[in-house]
């Protein structure tokens, strides 16, 4: 086991290097980078008359920027250095967990992630816990009553919820409960006067704001877990040890929840680490935009659109590193859940 863990830890470095290198190479060929955007912006100002020179020098609005000014802009964003040198400097910074500074927001990437993280954590954790609290008991109930009316109706409801996109459901929730009935707020994670409220009122206000976006995310997220739990449970119920346990006179509750459930939940348990960690760093762009929540999903999208390369590469580094570590933890959970699994 120790050898396997060391081998996987050593494989993290080349994998992380490959992901960063591939993304960095692709970025070099993407048009409309920060230098081009700044040059276009300055040329537009000149064309509007702001770049006119002093009296008697003539109008230069259509002549563009001189090479010296362009080189200054390239140096400002670090593009005066060759690409291999920029990649090496980025790796050195990442090795010290220095993720760089945003081109446009003038903040460090780490600070931006910390500022946006509460929104994504709120959405992710609530969605994670509620989904599993609903999906696992529902999957067990469907397996025990397989083929019954309850199983058919619940399957239909689960599949309908899975088929409806989260943002479509979010729009419907906003229109009905936020607009017509006005039971819930239309935007934001908390109210504007949240800091002046008492602790009880703060919690109530937070839950009041988070209800609609979490509902929009939960209804489509627990379908896979529920059906996976049901199918795993049905597979275990048909095995010989269940018949032996029943023949010994054990109650149905002990058979189902002490023996069958432990084995049936192995696929679910092994996926818990990645789902739990992903809840902290996975942002939903459409839900965040729809409910005016400034989280990591919106930050990632805006960074790609604006070609804010330090934010793009910094977030990619964090996501990849956490993803690789979580994948290792998920594999180790197999051994914890099922001692029969041997990596040797």
């Amino acid at each position: 086991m120790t050898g396997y863990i060391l081998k996987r830890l050593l494989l993290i470095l080349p994998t992380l290097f490959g992901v960063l290198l591939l993304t960095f190479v692709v970025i070099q060929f993407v048009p409309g980078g920060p230098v081009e955007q700044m040059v276009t912006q300055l040329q537009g100002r000149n064309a509007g008359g702001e770049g006119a020179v002093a009296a008697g020098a003539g109008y230069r609005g259509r002549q563009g920027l001189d090479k010296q000014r362009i080189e200054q802009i390239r140096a400002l964003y670090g593009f005066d250095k060759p690409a291999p040198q920029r990649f090496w400097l980025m790796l050195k910074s990442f090795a010290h967990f220095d993720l760089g500074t945003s081109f446009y927001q003038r903040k460090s990437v780490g600070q931006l992630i910390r500022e946006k993280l509460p929104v994504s954590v709120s959405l992710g954790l609530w969605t994670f816990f509620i989904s599993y609290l609903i999906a696992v008991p529902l999957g067990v109930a469907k397996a025990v009553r397989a083929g019954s009316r309850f199983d058919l109706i619940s399957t239909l409801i689960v599949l309908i919820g899975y088929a409806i996109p989260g943002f479509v459901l979010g729009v419907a929730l906003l229109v009905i409960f936020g607009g017509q009935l006005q039971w819930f707020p239309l935007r934001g994670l908390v109210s504007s006067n949240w800091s002046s409220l008492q602790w009880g009122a703060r919690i109530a206000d937070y839950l009041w704001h988070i209800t609609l976006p979490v509902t929009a995310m939960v209804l489509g997220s627990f379908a896979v877990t529920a059906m996976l739990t049901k199918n795993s449970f049905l597979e275990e119920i048909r095995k010989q040890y269940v018949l032996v346990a029943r023949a010994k006179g054990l109650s149905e509750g002990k058979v189902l929840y002490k023996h069958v459930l432990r084995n049936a939940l192995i696929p679910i348990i092994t996926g818990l680490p990645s789902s739990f960690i992903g809840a902290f760093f996975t942002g939903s762009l459409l839900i965040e935009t729809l409910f005016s929540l400034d989280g990591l999903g919106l930050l990632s999208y805006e960074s790609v659109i604006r070609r804010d390369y330090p934010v793009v590469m910094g977030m990619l580094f964090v996501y990849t590193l956490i993803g690789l570590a979580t994948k290792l933890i998920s594999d180790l959970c197999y051994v914890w859940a099922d001692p029969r699994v041997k990596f040797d």
Side-chain angles (χ1 to χ4, degrees):
M1 177 62 70
T2 304
Y4 174 80
I5 295 176
L6 291 176
K7 186 186 300 182
R8 289 291 301 272
L9 290 176
L10 291 176
L11 284 175
I12 287 179
L13 295 179
T15 305
L16 185 61
F17 176 82
V19 171
L20 293 176
L21 177 61
L22 180 62
T23 307
F24 185 84
V25 171
V26 171
I27 283 177
Q28 307 310 306
F29 299 98
V30 176
V35 175
E36 290 82 357
Q37 293 184 28
M38 178 62 73
V39 170
T40 303
Q41 183 180 359
L42 292 177
Q43 287 177 342
R45 290 180 180 178
N46 288 345
E50 296 181 12
V53 295
Y59 179 63
R60 299 175 53 193
R62 295 185 177 275
Q63 297 180 13
L65 301 178
D66 53 36
K67 292 184 178 180
Q68 182 179 0
R69 187 67 180 277
I70 294 178
E71 289 301 323
Q72 291 176 353
I73 296 174
R74 292 176 59 86
L76 175 65
Y77 293 112
F79 285 89
D80 57 328
K81 304 179 180 65
Q85 184 179 355
R86 285 188 281 118
F87 181 70
W88 172 247
L89 292 176
M90 183 189 70
L91 290 182
K92 289 177 63 177
S93 299
F94 285 177
H96 297 88
F97 290 94
D98 179 9
L99 304 181
T101 303
S102 170
F103 285 155
Y104 303 102
Q105 303 192 46
R106 302 303 178 188
K107 296 180 180 179
S108 66
V109 178
Q111 181 181 353
L112 286 174
I113 293 177
R114 289 191 297 269
E115 290 178 356
K116 313 298 182 182
L117 192 58
V119 173
S120 297
V121 168
S122 297
L123 292 176
L125 284 184
W126 281 112
T127 303
F128 170 80
F129 284 118
I130 294 177
S131 297
Y132 273 87
L133 288 176
I134 295 176
V136 174
L138 179 61
V140 173
K142 288 172 62 62
V144 174
R145 301 173 178 84
S148 64
R149 182 178 299 179
F150 169 79
D151 183 29
L152 296 177
I153 295 176
S154 60
T155 299
L156 179 62
I157 295 175
V158 166
L159 293 180
I160 291 176
Y162 182 71
I164 298 177
F167 70 94
V168 174
L169 181 60
V171 171
L173 293 175
L174 274 179
V175 171
I176 297 174
F177 297 101
Q180 296 179 355
L181 300 177
Q182 297 183 357
W183 289 355
F184 297 96
L186 298 176
R187 57 181 301 163
L189 191 63
V190 292
S191 300
S192 57
N193 63 335
W194 184 81
S195 59
S196 62
L197 299 176
Q198 299 294 330
W199 281 107
R202 288 185 181 185
I203 296 175
D205 181 78
Y206 165 75
L207 294 176
W208 184 46
H209 281 77
I210 206 69
T211 298
L212 291 185
V214 169
T215 302
M217 295 182 66
V218 164
L219 290 181
S221 63
F222 71 89
V224 175
T225 306
M227 299 306 295
L228 180 61
T229 303
K230 174 192 173 182
N231 294 333
S232 299
F233 216 87
L234 285 176
E235 183 179 355
E236 293 296 325
I237 287 178
R238 301 188 183 102
K239 291 185 176 180
Q240 191 68 31
Y241 74 89
V242 178
L243 298 177
V244 174
R246 287 172 175 168
K248 289 182 177 180
L250 295 179
S251 63
E252 192 67 15
K254 288 186 177 181
V255 173
L256 293 178
Y257 293 101
K258 186 177 180 180
H259 297 280
V260 178
L261 184 61
R262 179 179 178 181
N263 294 320
L265 289 184
I266 289 177
I268 310 299
I269 293 174
T270 53
L272 278 176
S274 57
S275 299
F276 184 76
I277 299 298
F280 285 88
F281 293 95
T282 303
S284 176
L285 170 62
L286 296 175
I287 296 298
E288 290 178 9
T289 304
L290 183 62
F291 291 93
S292 300
L293 301 173
D294 192 9
L296 292 177
L298 191 59
L299 175 63
S300 302
Y301 174 76
E302 291 179 346
S303 301
V304 172
I305 295 299
R306 300 177 67 182
R307 308 294 193 268
D308 198 348
Y309 296 143
V311 179
V312 174
M313 297 301 298
M315 295 186 69
L316 177 67
F317 171 75
V318 173
Y319 289 167
T320 305
L321 186 61
I322 293 176
L324 293 173
T326 305
K327 185 62 178 176
L328 174 60
I329 297 175
S330 299
D331 291 343
L332 296 179
C333 284
Y334 276 107
V335 179
W336 176 76
D338 190 353
R340 295 172 298 178
V341 176
K342 301 294 183 183
F343 289 116
D344 298 335

